Amino acid sequence: MVLLTVILYFALLFGISRLTGRGTNDDFFRAGRRSPWPLVAFGMVGASISGVTFVSVPGMVTTSDMTYLQMCLGFILGYVVVAFVLLPLYYKYNLTSIYTYLGTRLGPVSRKTGAWFFLLSKLTGAAAKMYLVCLVLRQFTGLPFVVITAGALVLIWLYTRRGGIRTLVWTDAVQTLCLLAAAALIVAEVASQLGMSAGEAWQAVWTDPHSRIFEMDDWASRQNFWKQFLSGVFVVIVMTGLDQDMMQKNLTCKSLRDGQKDLCSYGLLFLPVNFLFLSLGVLLLLFYARHPELALPERGDDLLPTVVGSGLLGETALVLFVIGIVASAFSSADSALTALTTSVCVDLLPRQATVRQRKWIHAGMTAALLGVILAIEAIGSSSVLDLIYMLVGYTYGPLLGLFAFGMTTRLGVHDRLVPWVAVASPLLCWACDMAARQWWNYRFGYELLLLNGLLTFAGLLLVSRHEKARR
């Protein structure tokens, strides 16, 4: 049943690909700048939350209750900043790759530096998300992890290789619909198994001790409100506003105003969508308490898969679960491959890529993503969501510093020194994190991203002064 569900799902995606794929580079990179903004906004929900939300977020209630919503509140403000500060800049320069701005403002080496950091960030982030879903599919199919991962990536490569972003605007909307419908129906099924009506389920979630949202007192906690809220703002700025993957879809809208409507609309949706998944986590804990034969898993990521795999929710729940994680994971992975291909073609090649070159690069990015997923599988992680945000802190920080420097100053830089600054900043962040743990028993959380961006900005100031002195 699981394999049949996946096959039918991919058949639907291939059908959409055949209708929307034209094969030109302009369609692959920009969809001709004709995408309807409501369609982009709805599809971005699935592309942004990914399979990690479907599996990891319900499990977060076991260790941090609903404090993740503090970060989601920060997301809303972050999307407003991206819509009215960064997006006008990208439309002004009519960009295909947002890192072209760094080349215009700071120099060609800075542009390549930004592109390389994006490649590193996106490869690791997309691989971590895909890893989790392939892990779950292995549990339900019994197939080897390598076979599942390679098979999924080959299928994604096949339905995106012609149409690129033009195809993804439509497939992401379909996948978001599948994801949200699956999540809502699973919540309804769990509540039904607990003998609760919709109102009773709401009351049970709201009065449960795990429904705690705000952590105001403990400044050393990673769940402190201000850490979470401010980190949420800056995570959105870098993971959306400075990320070619997320911005590429927004840049396919017909106008700047449409793009701003798109960003603000799906930014607001993050709060109710994540509340839905956290509520599912609370209901699952009540389900575990009702069924002592089920051992509560050590990893939060296993909370939902264990219940679904037990068969206590029935075969319908299993099918919905598979549809949900496949839809969420593939909507993230397919857009990541398209954005990685775009950045290599536009930012790193010495001249404009041909259609043939673009197809080869697209295949190469698929192979690279497979390699990173297998590396993560060898390392392992107790929480994939925490792994992703930790990687964000180290790899997106230089992008934050580069764009902030370019937009807020009129200084030039010694372009050849920019890569050294961008590499030194994450290393200094790591040293600061180790020192804080040893000396003050303080663990940096998502705020590591802010420190990284600040160090990059300071390093660029030093480089700019050096350049001025040379002149």
Side-chain angles (χ1 to χ4, degrees):
M1 178 61 71
V2 172
L3 287 176
L4 178 61
T5 300
V6 174
I7 291 171
L8 292 175
Y9 185 79
F10 268 110
L12 172 63
L13 297 182
F14 276 116
I16 297 173
S17 176
R18 293 292 297 176
L19 292 174
T20 59
R22 292 183 179 176
T24 68
N25 278 350
D26 184 60
D27 283 324
F28 189 95
F29 297 147
R30 310 202 322 170
R33 283 270 171 96
R34 294 186 297 271
S35 300
W37 74 262
L39 188 70
V40 176
F42 186 68
M44 285 295 294
V45 174
S48 299
I49 60 180
S50 77
V52 174
T53 298
F54 204 95
V55 177
S56 279
V57 172
M60 292 178 74
V61 298
T62 61
T63 56
S64 57
D65 301 331
M66 287 192 175
T67 56
Y68 182 59
L69 291 178
Q70 298 175 125
M71 179 172 276
C72 295
L73 289 171
F75 288 168
I76 296 174
L77 179 57
Y79 280 108
V80 172
V81 173
V82 172
F84 293 96
V85 176
L86 290 173
L87 196 63
L89 183 71
Y90 301 152
Y91 268 89
K92 174 184 177 182
Y93 287 97
N94 193 29
L95 300 182
T96 297
S97 167
I98 63 175
Y99 308 113
T100 303
Y101 168 75
L102 295 177
T104 302
R105 175 64 182 81
L106 301 177
V109 177
S110 297
R111 174 182 179 177
K112 293 181 184 298
T113 301
W116 276 112
F117 267 88
F118 163 71
L119 293 178
L120 176 62
S121 304
K122 185 53 60 176
L123 272 175
T124 52
K129 295 174 182 178
M130 194 68 184
Y131 154 76
L132 177 61
V133 174
C134 292
L135 205 63
V136 173
L137 289 176
R138 180 181 66 179
Q139 176 183 341
F140 290 109
T141 63
L143 295 174
F145 182 84
V146 175
V147 173
I148 293 173
T149 306
L153 290 179
V154 167
L155 290 171
I156 290 172
W157 169 72
L158 285 172
Y159 79 75
T160 59
R161 67 191 183 95
R162 292 184 69 248
I165 204 72
R166 180 184 177 86
T167 295
L168 296 186
V169 168
W170 292 93
T171 57
D172 280 357
V174 171
Q175 295 187 114
T176 298
L177 178 63
C178 293
L179 162 67
L180 296 181
L185 290 172
I186 289 176
V187 168
E189 182 61 30
V190 174
S192 175
Q193 292 288 334
L194 291 171
M196 297 179 181
S197 64
E200 290 170 336
W202 165 262
Q203 185 67 21
V205 170
W206 193 248
T207 58
D208 192 276
H210 289 289
S211 67
R212 179 180 66 97
I213 297 175
F214 297 104
E215 171 63 73
M216 294 290 191
D217 300 327
D218 187 3
W219 282 95
S221 171
R222 295 179 66 183
Q223 273 69 50
N224 178 269
F225 172 78
W226 292 108
K227 287 184 183 180
Q228 293 273 312
F229 180 80
L230 292 175
S231 295
V233 174
F234 282 93
V235 162
V236 164
I237 290 173
V238 297
M239 291 190 70
T240 298
L242 306 183
D243 185 290
Q244 175 65 23
D245 181 8
M246 294 294 103
M247 293 312 297
Q248 190 165 354
K249 296 186 185 72
N250 294 290
L251 292 174
T252 67
C253 293
K254 299 176 183 178
S255 66
L256 171 60
R257 181 58 61 88
D258 282 356
Q260 290 172 330
K261 293 176 184 177
D262 155 40
L263 275 167
C264 292
S265 297
Y266 87 81
L268 287 172
L269 287 173
F270 266 87
L271 198 60
V273 167
N274 281 284
F275 180 77
L276 173 68
F277 283 101
L278 290 168
S279 298
L280 174 59
V282 173
L283 292 175
L284 287 172
L285 291 178
L286 295 175
F287 189 86
Y288 274 94
R290 185 75 63 87
H291 294 273
E293 70 273 18
L294 281 179
L296 191 67
E298 295 182 2
R299 294 182 352 130
D301 291 348
D302 295 330
L303 191 68
L304 178 58
T306 299
V307 172
V308 173
S310 69
L312 294 174
L313 294 180
E315 192 171 356
T316 300
L318 174 60
V319 172
L320 291 171
F321 176 72
V322 171
I323 291 174
I325 62 169
V326 169
S328 55
F330 293 170
S331 66
S332 177
D334 56 17
S335 62
L337 285 175
T338 301
L340 288 166
T341 302
T342 300
S343 186
V344 172
C345 291
V346 175
D347 297 313
L348 299 181
L349 292 187
R351 59 183 62 87
Q352 185 175 1
T354 63
V355 172
R356 181 181 177 84
Q357 287 175 323
R358 185 253 296 166
K359 289 182 178 180
W360 276 107
I361 292 170
H362 191 223
M365 290 296 101
T366 305
L369 185 57
L370 174 62
V372 177
I373 294 172
L374 296 179
I376 292 176
E377 197 271 339
I379 297 170
S381 175
S382 59
S383 174
V384 175
L385 193 63
D386 279 342
L387 172 64
I388 291 171
Y389 284 136
M390 182 189 72
L391 293 171
V392 164
Y394 284 107
T395 57
Y396 276 88
L399 287 173
L400 177 61
L402 282 165
F403 274 88
F405 183 87
M407 295 176 64
T408 61
T409 76
R410 295 185 178 181
L411 298 172
V413 294
H414 198 302
D415 197 32
R416 289 177 296 176
L417 294 180
V418 169
W420 295 95
V421 172
V423 171
S425 298
L427 294 177
L428 286 173
C429 278
W430 176 82
C432 289
D433 189 24
M434 293 299 103
R437 294 186 190 188
Q438 182 175 353
W439 295 342
W440 303 298
N441 196 29
Y442 179 87
R443 292 176 61 90
F444 278 95
Y446 304 144
E447 72 272 18
L448 190 68
L449 170 66
L450 308 182
L451 176 62
N452 200 344
L454 182 62
L455 289 173
T456 303
F457 190 96
L460 293 173
L461 282 177
L462 291 176
V463 170
S464 70
R465 290 170 183 167
H466 174 66
E467 183 185 41
K468 186 176 180 180
R470 288 175 68 252
R471 289 181 178 177

